[in-house]
Amino acid sequence: WLLIALLSSFIGILQYFGFADYFKPWVNQTPRIGEAFANLRQRNLFATLTGIGLISLLGIIRFKRITCFKSRLMIGVFVYGSVLILALGNAVSGSRTGLFEWILVLILAIWWDFSSKQGMGVIALKAVLIYFLSVISLPWILYLLTGVKVDVAFNRLIEIPGCGSRKFLWLNVFEL
């Protein structure tokens, strides 16, 4: 799961910055720069995969499955490199679902930490902070590099009310 989430995150970053064309036909093409969904073709699925990847990484740490690295430095590079790529992947997805899921993963990691004391809560907190910094900075970086303005996941949380908004649809579902 972690390997696939990392690969998909890398693909999503390529798509976001407009480099997916160089990897045809192995990488799905996005309609425009600033949009990313990896090879899943749906931003929420992609964001969910990054969350599964983060949970997998925390599970690897929890159950001490990082045995291929001999030094603590290499383990740190692997863990925080993975966190960075997953956070960037979730940020470029622009998914509100991804935002919600990563907060849930943080809560789960803190809960796990009460029993294991292995620092998973700290790693998850750093992952969420990197995600938030990425959500804020990536649109700005994209604009500086390409001149393309994109919508941010935080802006998408505030919807204009109307019949097409998700809030309206969810209220109807709850009423039914």
Side-chain angles (χ1 to χ4, degrees), residues 34-60:
E35 189 172 319
F37 44 72
N39 278 353
L40 297 172
R41 296 183 178 244
Q42 212 281 334
R43 74 172 71 198
N44 289 338
L45 293 176
F46 172 40
T48 297
L49 180 59
T50 66
I52 292 170
L54 183 58
I55 288 173
S56 298
L57 178 65
L58 294 174
I60 289 169

Side-chain angles (χ1 to χ4, degrees), residues 62-63 108-120:
R62 167 85 165 84
F63 298 108
L108 175 67
I110 291 169
W111 180 65
W112 272 352
D113 242 5
F114 283 123
S115 64
S116 70
K117 306 286 189 240
Q118 292 182 343
M120 291 176 300

Side-chain angles (χ1 to χ4, degrees), residues 3 8-9 12-13 18 40-41 63 73 77 93 95-96 98 104 107-108 116 133 161 167 171:
L3 181 62
S8 292
S9 294
I13 293 164
L40 297 172
R41 296 183 178 244
F63 298 108
L73 175 66
V77 167
S93 76
S95 170
R96 295 170 287 195
L104 290 178
I107 293 167
L108 175 67
S116 70
L133 289 173
K167 188 183 299 184
L171 288 173

